[in-house]
Amino acid sequence: MSSAHQSLSKLPKNLPNAEPYQFGIVISEWNEEITGALLQGAMEALTLAGSKSENIIIKYVPGSFELTAGASLFTEQNFDAIICLGCVIQGETRHFDFICDAVANGITQLSIQYNKPVIFGVLTTNTMQQATDRAGGKYGNKGFEAGVTAIKMAHLFSAQ
Ligand code: DLZ
């Protein structure tokens, strides 16, 4: 799936107002220059869409592997959507595969178990340059896109 033509730099038309919703953000400290940029993008999307800062709670975890555990701290509370932000960069070993599989499966299971949107805002790239390109670079900011997705999903779930 290529990102070359899919970066969102502004809010899509017809995006619901984010003001009524509470968001939890879990962010990985690993590759923090990238995840910090993703956080900035997510915050920009939420606030541009009307979210108040008091309705956005941020928690840090050491690495992307811990995103699921971090997100689980929000699931039993009154949050409308949870955003997981991380950046896993391919190294010489299979560590990359284990981390990516664990976080993708973990947050999917969490979402189903608690009937709550948990958004996958994790970059999984071969190089640091590819990550930079997707964290405010030439392919936009995937954190911003995660923020937009969280608003859409919060709205969808609130209508049930
Ligand atoms: C150990 C590790 C490595 C090698 N690479 C990354 C990475 O690229 N991105 C990331 O978010 N985390 C990495 N980690 C840390 C793991 O996610 C995790 O924190 C440790 O394995 C401890 O459970």
Coordinates of all heavy atoms in Angstrom, one line a residue, residues 48-106:
L48 N -7.8 21.2 15.4 CA -8.4 21.9 14.2 C -9.8 21.4 14.1 O -10.7 22.2 13.6 CB -7.7 21.5 12.9 CG -6.4 22.3 12.6 CD1 -5.8 21.7 11.3 CD2 -6.8 23.7 12.4
A49 N -10.1 20.2 14.5 CA -11.5 19.7 14.4 C -12.4 20.0 15.6 O -13.5 19.6 15.7 CB -11.5 18.2 14.2
G50 N -11.8 20.8 16.5 CA -12.6 21.3 17.6 C -12.4 20.7 19.0 O -13.1 21.1 20.0
S51 N -11.4 19.8 19.1 CA -11.2 19.2 20.4 C -10.5 20.1 21.4 O -9.6 20.9 21.0 CB -10.3 17.9 20.2 OG -10.2 17.2 21.3
K52 N -10.9 20.1 22.6 CA -10.2 20.9 23.7 C -9.1 20.1 24.3 O -9.2 18.9 24.5 CB -11.2 21.3 24.8 CG -12.5 22.0 24.2 CD -12.2 23.5 24.2 CE -13.4 24.3 23.9 NZ -14.1 24.1 22.6
S53 N -8.0 20.8 24.7 CA -6.8 20.1 25.2 C -7.2 19.3 26.5 O -6.6 18.2 26.7 CB -5.7 21.1 25.5 OG -6.1 22.0 26.4
E54 N -8.1 19.7 27.3 CA -8.5 19.0 28.5 C -9.2 17.6 28.2 O -9.3 16.8 29.0 CB -9.4 19.8 29.4 CG -10.7 20.2 28.9 CD -10.7 21.6 28.3 OE1 -9.6 22.0 27.8 OE2 -11.7 22.3 28.3
N55 N -9.6 17.5 26.9 CA -10.2 16.2 26.5 C -9.2 15.3 25.8 O -9.7 14.3 25.1 CB -11.4 16.5 25.6 CG -12.6 17.1 26.4 OD1 -12.7 16.8 27.6 ND2 -13.3 17.9 25.8
I56 N -7.9 15.6 25.8 CA -6.9 14.8 25.2 C -5.9 14.4 26.3 O -5.2 15.3 26.8 CB -6.2 15.5 24.0 CG1 -7.2 16.0 23.0 CG2 -5.2 14.6 23.4 CD1 -6.6 17.0 22.0
I57 N -5.8 13.1 26.6 CA -4.8 12.7 27.6 C -3.7 11.9 26.9 O -4.0 11.0 26.1 CB -5.5 11.7 28.6 CG1 -6.7 12.5 29.3 CG2 -4.5 11.3 29.7 CD1 -6.4 13.7 30.1
I58 N -2.5 12.2 27.2 CA -1.3 11.6 26.5 C -0.5 10.7 27.5 O -0.3 11.2 28.7 CB -0.4 12.7 25.9 CG1 -1.2 13.5 24.9 CG2 0.8 12.0 25.3 CD1 -0.5 14.8 24.5
K59 N -0.2 9.5 27.1 CA 0.6 8.6 28.0 C 1.8 8.1 27.1 O 1.6 7.8 25.9 CB -0.1 7.4 28.5 CG -1.2 7.8 29.6 CD -1.7 6.5 30.2 CE -2.9 6.8 31.1 NZ -2.6 7.6 32.2
Y60 N 3.0 8.1 27.7 CA 4.2 7.6 27.0 C 4.5 6.2 27.4 O 4.4 5.8 28.6 CB 5.4 8.5 27.4 CG 5.3 9.9 26.6 CD1 4.5 10.9 27.2 CD2 5.9 10.1 25.4 CE1 4.4 12.1 26.5 CE2 5.9 11.3 24.8 CZ 5.1 12.3 25.3 OH 5.0 13.5 24.7
V61 N 5.0 5.4 26.5 CA 5.5 4.0 26.8 C 6.9 3.9 26.1 O 7.2 4.7 25.2 CB 4.5 2.9 26.2 CG1 3.2 2.9 26.9 CG2 4.4 3.1 24.7
P62 N 7.7 3.0 26.6 CA 9.1 2.9 26.2 C 9.2 2.7 24.7 O 10.1 3.3 24.0 CB 9.7 1.8 27.0 CG 8.8 1.7 28.2 CD 7.5 2.1 27.7
G63 N 8.5 1.7 24.2 CA 8.6 1.3 22.7 C 7.3 0.9 22.2 O 6.3 0.8 22.9
S64 N 7.3 0.7 20.9 CA 6.0 0.3 20.2 C 5.4 -1.0 20.7 O 4.2 -1.2 20.7 CB 6.2 0.2 18.7 OG 6.5 1.5 18.2
F65 N 6.3 -1.9 21.2 CA 5.8 -3.1 21.7 C 4.9 -2.9 22.9 O 3.9 -3.7 23.1 CB 7.0 -4.0 22.1 CG 6.6 -5.4 22.5 CD1 6.4 -6.4 21.5 CD2 6.4 -5.8 23.8 CE1 6.1 -7.7 21.9 CE2 6.0 -7.1 24.2 CZ 5.9 -8.0 23.2
E66 N 5.1 -1.8 23.6 CA 4.3 -1.5 24.8 C 3.0 -0.7 24.5 O 2.3 -0.3 25.4 CB 5.2 -0.8 25.9 CG 6.2 -1.6 26.6 CD 7.4 -2.0 25.7 OE1 7.9 -1.2 24.9 OE2 7.9 -3.1 25.9
L67 N 2.8 -0.4 23.3 CA 1.6 0.5 22.9 C 0.3 -0.2 23.4 O -0.6 0.5 23.8 CB 1.6 0.8 21.4 CG 2.6 1.8 21.0 CD1 2.7 1.9 19.4 CD2 2.3 3.2 21.5
T68 N 0.2 -1.5 23.2 CA -1.0 -2.2 23.5 C -1.3 -2.1 25.0 O -2.4 -1.8 25.4 CB -0.9 -3.7 23.1 OG1 -0.6 -3.8 21.7 CG2 -2.3 -4.4 23.4
A69 N -0.2 -2.3 25.8 CA -0.4 -2.3 27.3 C -0.8 -0.8 27.7 O -1.6 -0.6 28.5 CB 0.9 -2.7 27.9
G70 N -0.1 0.1 27.0 CA -0.4 1.5 27.3 C -1.9 1.9 27.0 O -2.6 2.5 27.7
A71 N -2.3 1.4 25.8 CA -3.7 1.7 25.4 C -4.7 1.0 26.3 O -5.8 1.5 26.5 CB -3.9 1.1 23.9
S72 N -4.3 -0.1 26.9 CA -5.3 -0.8 27.8 C -5.6 0.0 29.0 O -6.6 -0.2 29.7 CB -4.7 -2.2 28.2 OG -3.7 -2.1 29.2
L73 N -4.7 1.0 29.4 CA -5.0 1.8 30.5 C -6.2 2.7 30.2 O -6.8 3.3 31.1 CB -3.8 2.7 30.8 CG -2.5 1.9 31.3 CD1 -1.3 2.9 31.4 CD2 -2.8 1.2 32.6
F74 N -6.5 3.0 28.9 CA -7.6 3.8 28.6 C -8.9 3.1 28.3 O -9.9 3.7 28.3 CB -7.3 4.6 27.3 CG -6.2 5.7 27.4 CD1 -5.1 5.6 26.6 CD2 -6.4 6.7 28.3 CE1 -4.1 6.6 26.7 CE2 -5.4 7.7 28.3 CZ -4.3 7.7 27.6
T75 N -8.8 1.8 28.1 CA -10.0 1.1 27.5 C -11.2 1.1 28.5 O -12.3 1.1 28.1 CB -9.6 -0.3 27.1 OG1 -8.9 -0.9 28.1 CG2 -8.9 -0.4 25.8
E76 N -10.9 1.0 29.8 CA -12.0 0.9 30.7 C -12.5 2.3 31.2 O -13.3 2.4 32.1 CB -11.7 0.0 31.9 CG -11.4 -1.4 31.4 CD -11.7 -2.5 32.4 OE1 -12.9 -2.6 32.7 OE2 -10.8 -3.1 32.8
Q77 N -11.9 3.3 30.7 CA -12.2 4.7 31.1 C -13.1 5.3 30.0 O -13.4 4.7 29.0 CB -11.0 5.5 31.3 CG -10.2 5.0 32.4 CD -8.9 5.8 32.6 OE1 -8.9 7.0 32.6 NE2 -7.8 5.1 32.8
N78 N -13.5 6.5 30.2 CA -14.5 7.1 29.4 C -13.9 7.8 28.1 O -14.2 9.0 27.9 CB -15.3 8.2 30.2 CG -16.6 8.5 29.6 OD1 -17.1 7.7 28.8 ND2 -17.1 9.7 29.9
F79 N -13.1 7.0 27.4 CA -12.5 7.6 26.2 C -13.3 7.1 24.9 O -13.7 6.0 24.9 CB -11.0 7.2 26.0 CG -10.2 7.9 27.1 CD1 -9.9 7.4 28.3 CD2 -9.7 9.2 26.8 CE1 -9.2 8.0 29.2 CE2 -8.9 9.9 27.7 CZ -8.7 9.3 29.0
D80 N -13.4 8.0 24.0 CA -14.2 7.7 22.8 C -13.3 7.1 21.7 O -13.8 6.3 20.8 CB -14.9 8.9 22.2 CG -15.9 9.5 23.2 OD1 -16.9 8.9 23.3 OD2 -15.6 10.5 23.9
A81 N -12.0 7.4 21.7 CA -11.1 6.7 20.8 C -9.7 6.8 21.4 O -9.4 7.8 22.1 CB -11.1 7.4 19.4
I82 N -8.9 5.8 21.1 CA -7.5 5.8 21.6 C -6.6 5.8 20.3 O -6.8 5.0 19.4 CB -7.3 4.5 22.4 CG1 -8.2 4.5 23.6 CG2 -5.8 4.4 22.9 CD1 -8.4 3.1 24.2
I83 N -5.6 6.6 20.4 CA -4.6 6.7 19.3 C -3.3 6.1 19.7 O -2.7 6.6 20.7 CB -4.5 8.1 18.8 CG1 -5.8 8.7 18.4 CG2 -3.5 8.2 17.6 CD1 -5.8 10.2 18.1
C84 N -2.7 5.2 19.0 CA -1.4 4.6 19.3 C -0.4 5.2 18.3 O -0.6 5.0 17.1 CB -1.4 3.1 19.2 SG -2.5 2.4 20.5
L85 N 0.7 5.8 18.7 CA 1.6 6.4 17.8 C 3.0 5.7 18.1 O 3.5 5.7 19.2 CB 1.7 7.9 18.1 CG 0.5 8.7 17.8 CD1 0.7 10.1 18.2 CD2 0.0 8.6 16.4
G86 N 3.6 5.2 17.0 CA 4.9 4.6 17.2 C 5.7 4.6 15.9 O 5.1 5.0 14.8
C87 N 6.9 4.2 15.9 CA 7.7 4.1 14.7 C 8.7 3.0 14.9 O 9.6 3.0 15.7 CB 8.5 5.4 14.5 SG 9.7 5.3 13.2
V88 N 8.5 2.0 14.0 CA 9.4 0.8 14.1 C 10.2 0.8 12.8 O 9.6 0.8 11.7 CB 8.6 -0.5 14.2 CG1 9.5 -1.7 14.6 CG2 7.5 -0.4 15.2
I89 N 11.5 0.7 12.9 CA 12.4 0.8 11.7 C 13.1 -0.5 11.6 O 13.7 -1.0 12.6 CB 13.4 2.0 11.8 CG1 12.5 3.3 11.9 CG2 14.3 2.0 10.6 CD1 13.4 4.5 12.0
Q90 N 13.1 -1.1 10.4 CA 13.7 -2.4 10.1 C 15.2 -2.4 10.5 O 15.9 -1.4 10.1 CB 13.5 -2.7 8.6 CG 14.2 -4.0 8.2 CD 13.4 -5.2 8.6 OE1 13.5 -5.7 9.8 NE2 12.6 -5.7 7.8
G91 N 15.6 -3.4 11.2 CA 17.1 -3.5 11.6 C 17.6 -4.8 10.9 O 17.0 -5.2 9.9
E92 N 18.7 -5.3 11.5 CA 19.3 -6.5 10.9 C 18.7 -7.8 11.3 O 18.9 -8.8 10.7 CB 20.8 -6.5 11.2 CG 21.6 -5.4 10.5 CD 23.0 -5.4 10.9 OE1 23.4 -6.3 11.7 OE2 23.8 -4.5 10.4
T93 N 17.9 -7.7 12.4 CA 17.3 -9.0 12.9 C 15.8 -9.0 12.7 O 15.2 -8.0 12.2 CB 17.6 -9.1 14.4 OG1 16.8 -8.1 15.1 CG2 19.1 -8.9 14.7
R94 N 15.1 -10.0 13.2 CA 13.7 -10.2 13.1 C 12.9 -9.4 14.1 O 11.7 -9.5 14.2 CB 13.3 -11.7 13.1 CG 13.9 -12.4 11.9 CD 13.5 -13.9 11.9 NE 12.0 -14.0 11.9 CZ 11.3 -14.9 12.5 NH1 11.9 -15.8 13.3 NH2 10.0 -15.0 12.4
H95 N 13.6 -8.6 14.9 CA 12.9 -7.9 16.0 C 11.7 -7.1 15.4 O 10.6 -7.0 16.0 CB 13.9 -6.9 16.7 CG 13.6 -6.7 18.1 ND1 14.2 -7.4 19.1 CD2 12.8 -5.8 18.7 CE1 13.7 -7.0 20.3 NE2 12.9 -6.0 20.1
F96 N 12.0 -6.4 14.3 CA 11.0 -5.6 13.6 C 9.7 -6.4 13.4 O 8.6 -5.8 13.7 CB 11.6 -5.2 12.2 CG 10.7 -4.4 11.3 CD1 10.7 -3.0 11.3 CD2 9.9 -5.1 10.3 CE1 9.9 -2.3 10.5 CE2 9.1 -4.4 9.5 CZ 9.1 -3.0 9.5
D97 N 9.8 -7.6 12.9 CA 8.6 -8.4 12.6 C 7.8 -8.6 13.9 O 6.6 -8.6 13.9 CB 8.9 -9.7 11.9 CG 9.7 -9.4 10.6 OD1 9.2 -8.6 9.8 OD2 10.8 -10.0 10.5
F98 N 8.5 -9.0 14.9 CA 7.8 -9.3 16.2 C 7.1 -8.1 16.7 O 6.0 -8.2 17.2 CB 8.8 -9.9 17.2 CG 9.2 -11.3 16.9 CD1 10.5 -11.6 16.5 CD2 8.4 -12.4 16.9 CE1 11.0 -12.9 16.2 CE2 8.8 -13.7 16.6 CZ 10.1 -13.9 16.2
I99 N 7.8 -7.0 16.7 CA 7.2 -5.8 17.3 C 5.9 -5.4 16.4 O 4.9 -5.1 17.0 CB 8.2 -4.6 17.3 CG1 9.3 -4.9 18.3 CG2 7.5 -3.3 17.8 CD1 10.4 -3.9 18.3
C100 N 6.1 -5.4 15.1 CA 5.0 -4.9 14.3 C 3.8 -5.9 14.4 O 2.6 -5.4 14.6 CB 5.4 -4.9 12.8 SG 6.6 -3.6 12.5
D101 N 4.0 -7.2 14.4 CA 2.9 -8.1 14.6 C 2.3 -8.0 15.9 O 1.0 -8.0 16.0 CB 3.4 -9.6 14.5 CG 3.8 -9.9 13.0 OD1 3.5 -9.1 12.1 OD2 4.4 -11.0 12.8
A102 N 3.1 -7.8 17.0 CA 2.5 -7.7 18.3 C 1.6 -6.5 18.4 O 0.5 -6.6 19.0 CB 3.7 -7.7 19.3
V103 N 2.1 -5.4 18.0 CA 1.3 -4.1 18.2 C 0.1 -4.1 17.3 O -1.0 -3.8 17.7 CB 2.1 -2.9 18.0 CG1 2.7 -2.6 16.7 CG2 1.4 -1.6 18.5
A104 N 0.2 -4.6 16.1 CA -1.0 -4.6 15.2 C -2.0 -5.6 15.7 O -3.2 -5.2 15.8 CB -0.6 -5.1 13.8
N105 N -1.6 -6.8 16.1 CA -2.6 -7.7 16.7 C -3.1 -7.3 18.0 O -4.3 -7.4 18.3 CB -1.9 -9.1 16.8 CG -1.6 -9.8 15.5 OD1 -2.4 -9.5 14.5 ND2 -0.6 -10.6 15.4
G106 N -2.2 -6.7 18.8 CA -2.6 -6.3 20.2 C -3.7 -5.3 20.2 O -4.7 -5.4 20.9

